[in-house]
Amino acid sequence: MIPTLRARFQQRFTPAGDGGPPDRFDRRLIAPMVLGSVLNPVNSSMIAVALVPIGSALGAPPSQTAWLVSGLYLATAVGQPVIGRLVDMFGPRRLYLIGTAMVGVAGLLGSVAPNLGALVAARVLLGFGTSAAYPAAMHLTRSEAERTGRDSPAGVLTALAVSAQTVSVIGPTLGGLLIGLGGWRTIFLVNVPLSLACLVLGALRLPKATKIAQGAQGADRAADAGGVPVPVARGIDLPGMALFAALLIALMVFLMKPRAEDWYLPVLALLAGAAFARRELRVPEPFIDLRVLGGNGPLLATFLRQFLSYTTAYAFLYGFTQWLEEGRGLHAAAAGLVLLPLSLTGLLVSAITGRREAVRGKLVVGSLVQIAGCAAMLTLQAGSALWLLAAVGALMGVPQGLNGLANQNALYRQADPARIGSAAGLLRTFMYLGAMAASAADAAFFQHGADTGGLHHLSLFMLAGAVLLLAVTVIDRSLGTLTPRKA
């Protein structure tokens, strides 16, 4: 009796990863993994219905409020692979806790920001803070697969993807309700309780070390040819990270407002990219191992599909929402309700298809429905009935529930397990690059407000991206060979 009670006590109170069931995924990890991973999508999507109210309150046109979107995504595009690499080296716990704490600080700063510049700064800090949880979650998933000796259950990956997609499509409705209750500053303040919940769950449930991180640190500390121990810090490629950041910043600043007099920005991006590639191919511990990526064509194709999928998805989310408020004349709360079918469809499709990987099939169907949705947007007018607007949203919810999950499953099978955190960070980076491209497109087509003509031009841009996504998916034969892999 006493040994049985002792065993139950140990199983219940032993820290995660230090004594869980030897052949089962430690389900105590799921709550902090999921909650942390949704911090970015909830902030990415709630801002969609807040852009017009913020612009009105601060006297800023859409071309300037677009930086509220791009600032966050620029920070996350840089932060995700950087923090993902640190997660691979040092383990997920400390990065998770630091990142989620930054989210709370950013929420407080945004709730009291006096002008647009301060608000953009808060969004940048928010972007860096939300960059830790997803690489940490993917690292933990792979670590648990190695600990148990079994391929991680599809339900874990599905929970990550479905939660992120659900929150991203529910975000506009939630944002609209929060704005209706307390004004646009409430969408920043809501990050404070979310951050506190992540900190508590992370401190209680995340392991202090994982098998993958221990192996990476051991390799970094291994003696070099001369028998001298190599410190872990040598594995942090700070120059590579800086060049990568310079590449993205110069490119994004130019794309947000392309002008002939800013010709030096794409040149700077090109030079930074060349220097980044040269360095990463020469250093022993690169920030992004281009040699591995160069030999992994299927993974590169997955990154491209992620970019194309989310360029169209975010162009719709931000552009269509702004048009609902300005071109159609709806209040932010009403626009959020019109987008509710988008949320429900995305959730339903993810729930139905989540446990079946079927990467190729999901991407084909997702891209075809995106094409149909973009074509439907070309028929919309300022006087279009609300049911038609809701129907277009419902149609665009289908690829929301398919494409992201398919790309995540593909990456899990294609990436090097020892660099799963940095690979997951790169997957999110390409997602955010798509969001930045979408934000730049919105700024270009809505220069003088979100009118119907601008919406139709945006629809043609989205249509081209959806067609390209279909083509990249159809010609990639490697998608048909993806199978569950043992740890």
Side-chain angles (χ1 to χ4, degrees):
M1 183 67 157
I2 293 177
T4 301
L5 291 175
R6 183 184 297 119
R8 289 181 178 176
F9 179 88
Q10 290 175 342
Q11 181 176 4
R12 182 172 182 180
F13 293 103
T14 299
D18 293 337
D23 61 345
R24 287 185 299 159
F25 189 94
D26 190 344
R27 296 191 176 274
R28 291 173 295 176
L29 301 174
I30 294 178
M33 287 167 60
V34 168
L35 185 59
S37 295
V38 303
L39 291 175
N40 190 279
V42 73
N43 281 286
S44 303
S45 54
M46 284 194 303
I47 196 69
V49 293
L51 293 175
V52 171
I54 290 173
S56 298
L58 301 180
S63 59
Q64 292 182 15
T65 57
W67 277 106
L68 293 171
V69 177
S70 299
L72 182 141
Y73 286 130
L74 189 57
T76 48
V78 175
Q80 286 274 356
V82 170
I83 297 177
R85 177 62 179 141
L86 296 177
V87 165
D88 286 333
M89 296 175 62
F90 301 112
R93 180 187 172 91
R94 71 184 77 175
L95 276 306
Y96 179 97
L97 294 176
I98 292 171
T100 52
M102 289 173 63
V103 170
V105 174
L108 286 173
L109 293 177
S111 67
V112 297
N115 52 53
L116 184 63
L119 208 57
V120 171
R123 290 279 292 179
V124 169
L125 181 62
L126 192 61
F128 282 117
T130 59
S131 293
Y134 181 71
M138 291 294 283
H139 181 103
L140 285 166
T141 302
R142 172 52 63 185
S143 177
E144 281 294 281
E146 293 199 357
R147 182 184 68 82
T148 61
R150 300 173 57 184
D151 192 67
S152 292
V156 176
L157 292 176
T158 301
L160 289 175
V162 170
S163 59
Q165 291 170 6
T166 300
V167 168
S168 67
V169 294
I170 289 177
T173 303
L174 175 62
L177 293 175
L178 288 173
I179 291 171
L181 291 173
W184 60 264
R185 292 185 184 274
T186 57
I187 69 168
F188 289 89
L189 199 58
V190 74
N191 285 290
V192 176
L194 290 175
S195 171
L196 290 175
C198 287
L199 288 172
V200 172
L201 287 171
L204 291 176
R205 298 188 178 187
L206 296 187
K208 294 183 178 180
T210 63
K211 184 175 180 180
I212 296 176
Q214 289 171 340
Q217 290 186 36
D220 285 331
R221 288 193 175 101
D224 61 16
V228 179
V230 179
V232 176
R234 259 179 57 177
I236 304 177
D237 180 19
L238 293 178
M241 294 176 181
L243 288 169
F244 183 72
L247 163 65
L248 291 182
I249 292 171
L251 185 61
M252 192 60 215
V253 171
F254 179 76
L255 289 177
M256 286 300 297
K257 193 173 182 179
R259 297 182 303 178
E261 55 266 34
D262 294 333
W263 60 268
Y264 62 92
L265 289 172
V267 172
L268 179 60
L270 183 62
L271 292 175
F276 172 74
R278 185 174 184 270
R279 175 175 175 80
E280 299 306 279
L281 290 172
R282 293 190 173 193
V283 297
E285 285 291 333
F287 161 49
I288 297 176
D289 197 336
L290 298 182
R291 289 162 294 195
V292 173
L293 288 180
N296 194 340
L299 183 59
L300 292 176
T302 294
F303 289 148
L304 176 58
R305 282 189 294 269
Q306 183 84 337
F307 171 77
L308 294 172
S309 298
Y310 281 96
T311 297
T312 298
Y314 279 110
F316 177 79
L317 180 63
Y318 297 125
F320 184 67
T321 304
Q322 288 185 73
W323 176 80
L324 286 176
E325 296 180 47
E326 292 191 3
R328 186 61 176 76
L330 300 180
H331 185 270
L337 290 175
V338 169
L339 289 172
L340 188 59
L342 173 76
S343 311
L344 297 177
T345 305
L347 175 60
L348 182 63
V349 170
S350 295
I352 293 174
T353 65
R355 289 186 175 272
R356 296 179 60 87
E357 292 200 13
V359 172
R360 186 188 185 94
K362 288 179 180 178
L363 289 169
V364 169
V365 173
S367 55
L368 287 173
V369 177
Q370 273 191 343
I371 291 172
C374 295
M377 288 175 63
L378 291 170
T379 68
L380 298 179
Q381 301 295 332
S384 294
L386 292 179
W387 69 264
L388 179 58
L389 305 179
V392 172
L395 189 62
M396 293 299 287
V398 174
Q400 291 272 25
L402 292 174
N403 293 343
L405 181 57
N407 288 323
Q408 176 183 269
N409 286 337
L411 173 127
Y412 186 77
R413 304 299 173 196
Q414 295 164 340
D416 176 8
R419 287 180 173 261
I420 189 68
S422 53
L426 276 175
L427 185 71
R428 282 286 179 100
T429 291
F430 278 89
M431 169 182 169
Y432 302 138
L433 289 175
M436 287 189 286
S439 180
D442 289 342
F445 296 124
F446 293 155
Q447 290 187 23
H448 306 293
D451 56 20
T452 302
L455 179 70
H456 289 167
H457 286 102
L458 180 65
S459 302
L460 292 174
F461 169 80
M462 294 165 55
L463 182 61
V467 170
L468 187 55
L469 172 62
L470 178 61
V472 173
T473 301
V474 170
I475 64 176
D476 187 355
R477 296 184 178 181
S478 69
L479 294 177
T481 64
L482 294 179
T483 55
R485 177 178 65 189
K486 294 294 182 183

